[in-house]
Amino acid sequence: MTKNKIILTGDRPTGRLHIGHFVGSLRRRVQLQNEGDYDKMFVFIADAQALTDNVDNPEKVRQNVIEVALDYLSVGLDPEKCTIFIQSQIPELCELSFYFMNMVTVSRLQRNPTVKTEIAMRGFDSSIPVGFFTYPVSQTADIAAFKATTVPVGEDQRPMLEQATEIVRRFNFIYGDTLVEPNILLPDNAACLRLPGTDGKAKMSKSLGNCIYLSDTAAELKKKVKSMFTDPLHLRVEDPGHLEGNTVFTYLDAFCEPHHFAEFWPEYESLDALKEHYTRGGLGDGKVKQFLLNILESTLAPIRERRKEFEKDIPAVYEMLRRGTEEARAVAAQTLDEVRRAMKINYFDDEALIAEQAKRFAQ
Ligand code: TRP
């Protein structure tokens, strides 16, 4: 029975994964994996994409491949249920990218909002590496080579998926139905779409030093939660508190589940009741932070412990990646056969072509 559902997603190995990745995508992936409602599921480490803006820092990318693999395993991705692989080890992805480059214009790439922001952030201005500029094309190849139907990613990846859909559509229009248009699968909760950093700044990011990593120790986690940005107007406990822009409450929206109240704070029956008291006044930030800390610790402790186990056998993690990469490569190779046939560049296995030309030249 085929459900025709192929899930695919990946991360750049430029650092350890943080709780923004967790609520934005990782948690959903594990859930999808365990529900089992799919034909195939691929999760990959986008090292080639990471190199597009780290050309002079290959060691950073190399060291973070294993960090991301450990993060994957520790959140519960299971190589028995999903194929975990390394992007650069699949040359078919480069081949497909090269063909796709003819199906998109320079001005369309320039309009991609994600690329625009990233160019500004990196100060590339007029010295944009070509590979970086075209990474949406390479990302389209990642998706199309596996005929992915469902791509669970964060909000920032929406323009990538739009571009991927356009390129696939164009390919199919020119060469006949070969590839599959992907759908984005976004987190369903606004707090999870773009989790702010602990300082309340727009996004959790390594360069801002405002991340909580999945692999942080209990002590690191505690320190970070205790120093989180809340409501600057909430000076005394009696003062009414504000929820808007209050990072502690944004994190509660992303992490708090009904059972956490019974477990950690039975005085309240729901997040709404807690918010109501906070906005009314009379509830101190310290208590709310402690509640958040309890929730985060209970979520992250099992992840941290599983990581410790996997860290004991690094060669086994590489073996898992090698096997996953082999399996993924076979799938990509199959798609590339179909692509070459559709594009009429399958000379050696096109017997009809050879026979027809032989006949024509014999006349
Ligand atoms: N761009 C993604 C990121 O920065 C990583 C990525 C590369 C990806 N190729 C992909 C995600 C294909 C989903 C599908 O995290």
Side-chain angles (χ1 to χ4, degrees), residues 93-334:
L93 298 179
C94 297
E95 187 182 350
L96 189 55
S97 302
F98 192 64
Y99 300 139
F100 280 169
M101 292 212 196
N102 302 322
M103 284 161 223
V104 62
T105 62
V106 171
S107 63
R108 175 65 183 90
L109 280 172
Q110 270 163 341
R111 266 186 282 123
N112 184 311
T114 309
V115 176
K116 258 189 179 162
T117 333
E118 289 182 339
I119 286 173
M121 258 167 53
R122 287 163 179 73
F124 281 151
D125 297 319
S126 59
S127 56
I128 311 162
V130 173
F132 179 81
F133 184 65
T134 58
Y135 93 73
V137 181
S138 136
Q139 183 150 342
T140 302
D142 299 334
I143 296 168
F146 299 93
K147 299 193 175 169
T149 57
T150 310
V151 183
V153 281
E155 169 75 359
D156 61 315
Q157 297 293 306
R158 192 198 288 277
M160 297 294 155
L161 268 288
E162 282 167 7
Q163 190 133 48
T165 305
E166 283 172 28
I167 294 175
V168 165
R169 196 171 289 162
R170 182 110 200 271
F171 185 102
N172 286 344
F173 178 75
I174 300 172
Y175 300 119
D177 248 346
T178 312
L179 301 171
V180 178
E181 289 181 24
N183 293 299
I184 190 168
L185 185 61
L186 289 168
D188 36 35
N189 166 335
C192 300
L193 278 178
R194 190 170 283 243
L195 198 73
T198 49
D199 56 357
K201 297 258 167 61
K203 204 182 167 184
M204 192 168 274
S205 92
K206 200 171 47 253
S207 47
L208 295 173
N210 60 4
C211 300
I212 294 176
Y213 293 101
L214 293 173
S215 47
D216 276 346
T217 62
E220 285 166 329
L221 176 66
K222 182 169 176 191
K223 196 166 150 233
K224 290 180 183 181
V225 172
K226 293 287 173 169
S227 62
M228 266 174 81
F229 180 81
T230 56
D231 171 13
L233 301 173
H234 192 222
L235 298 173
R236 289 167 306 169
V237 172
E238 316 84 76
D239 292 338
H242 300 85
L243 304 173
E244 184 124 349
N246 188 325
T247 319
V248 173
F249 279 94
T250 310
Y251 283 23
L252 285 175
D253 283 333
F255 284 94
C256 183
E257 290 168 39
H259 68 90
H260 288 133
F261 287 95
E263 232 167 296
F264 302 121
W265 214 354
E267 287 94 314
Y268 298 94
E269 56 174 25
S270 68
L271 195 50
D272 284 339
L274 177 64
K275 287 177 175 172
E276 196 276 321
H277 190 181
Y278 188 81
T279 43
R280 185 159 33 95
L283 179 56
D285 284 331
K287 283 188 175 171
V288 189
K289 283 182 175 175
Q290 183 58 47
F291 180 50
L292 175 63
L293 178 60
N294 289 339
I295 293 173
L296 287 178
E297 178 59 22
S298 71
T299 309
L300 298 182
I303 296 175
R304 202 186 290 138
E305 265 137 49
R306 270 199 301 270
R307 199 182 213 271
K308 285 264 157 339
E309 287 309 303
F310 289 114
E311 284 174 356
K312 288 182 188 153
D313 196 353
I314 295 299
V317 177
Y318 274 102
E319 182 54 24
M320 175 282 289
L321 288 170
R322 196 184 58 75
R323 259 192 249 141
T325 302
E326 247 169 43
E327 213 179 292
R329 187 166 182 198
V331 176
Q334 167 66 38

Side-chain angles (χ1 to χ4, degrees), residues 9 11 25-33 41 43 72:
T9 186
D11 300 275
S25 169
L26 289 171
R27 185 169 61 182
R28 172 61 85 62
R29 292 181 207 175
V30 176
Q31 193 190 347
L32 286 166
Q33 168 197 278
M41 178 162 170
V43 178
Y72 282 170

